[in-house]
């Protein structure tokens, strides 16, 4: 069994959730925040059999798209220096950042 962890943009989360339900694939949605943009995103936890991982990845790929986002300069007073950006920059966000982990045990009580 595998755990697929997918970080997606909030705009794509409803579509992805619906497509997973349609494919009879179970998932948990967590509200998350990107470490770089400090913007909200959504993290899906998807426990699935090994032979379904490719299908899950395909559904994620079809449901999520990359978007350009302008990062405005942040005040050094209002943010930590490590994330201080002195001028507006374009960053391409997403479609999805996906991790696949081996699961040692899966129990439901
Ligand atoms: P954020 O950390 O808010 O990053 C948003 C976008 O900003 C990234 O898009 C990337 O294009 C850019 N970016 C991030 N860190 C950067 C840096 N140090 N320098 C320059 N540009 C940077 P994505 O790569 O598509 O990532 C989208 C979201 O996925 C991230 O939001 C984060 O929440 C998650 N993510 C990405 N890589 C990850 C990783 N290795 N581990 C955990 N979460 C990750």
């Amino acid at each position: 069994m595998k755990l697929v962890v997918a970080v997606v943009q909030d705009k794509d989360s409803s579509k992805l959730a619906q497509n997973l339900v349609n494919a009879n694939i179970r998932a948990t949605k967590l509200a998350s925040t990107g470490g770089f943009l400090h913007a909200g995103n959504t993290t899906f936890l998807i426990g699935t059999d090994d032979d379904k991982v490719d299908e899950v990845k395909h559904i994620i790929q079809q449901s999520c798209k990359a978007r350009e986002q302008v990062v405005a300069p942040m005040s050094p007073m209002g943010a930590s220096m490590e994330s201080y950006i002195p001028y507006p920059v374009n960053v391409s966000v997403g479609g999805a950042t996906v991790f696949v982990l081996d699961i040692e045990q899966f129990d439901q009580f």
Side-chain angles (χ1 to χ4, degrees), residues 7-8 32-39 41 71 91-97 99:
V7 184
V8 309
S32 47
T33 305
F36 186 67
L37 294 181
H38 297 183
N41 52 29
V71 183
V91 292
S92 171
V93 185
T97 300
F99 307 86

Side-chain angles (χ1 to χ4, degrees), residues 28-103:
T28 296
K29 274 171 68 180
L30 304 175
S32 47
T33 305
F36 186 67
L37 294 181
H38 297 183
N41 52 29
T42 304
T43 299
F44 283 77
L45 304 181
I46 306 162
T48 189
D49 291 331
D50 292 27
D51 60 2
K52 281 201 155 190
V53 168
D54 285 345
E55 182 187 354
V56 170
K57 284 167 65 176
H58 181 72
I59 291 169
I60 294 168
Q61 199 178 3
Q62 295 301 307
S63 307
C64 303
K65 63 176 185 185
R67 295 180 183 86
E68 289 285 318
Q69 197 160 327
V70 178
V71 183
M74 283 188 267
S75 159
M77 301 296 288
S80 62
M81 283 307 288
E82 69 204 41
S83 60
Y84 174 62
I85 302 166
Y87 48 85
V89 288
N90 264 317
V91 292
S92 171
V93 185
T97 300
V98 178
F99 307 86
V100 180
L101 294 79
D102 283 322
I103 296 302

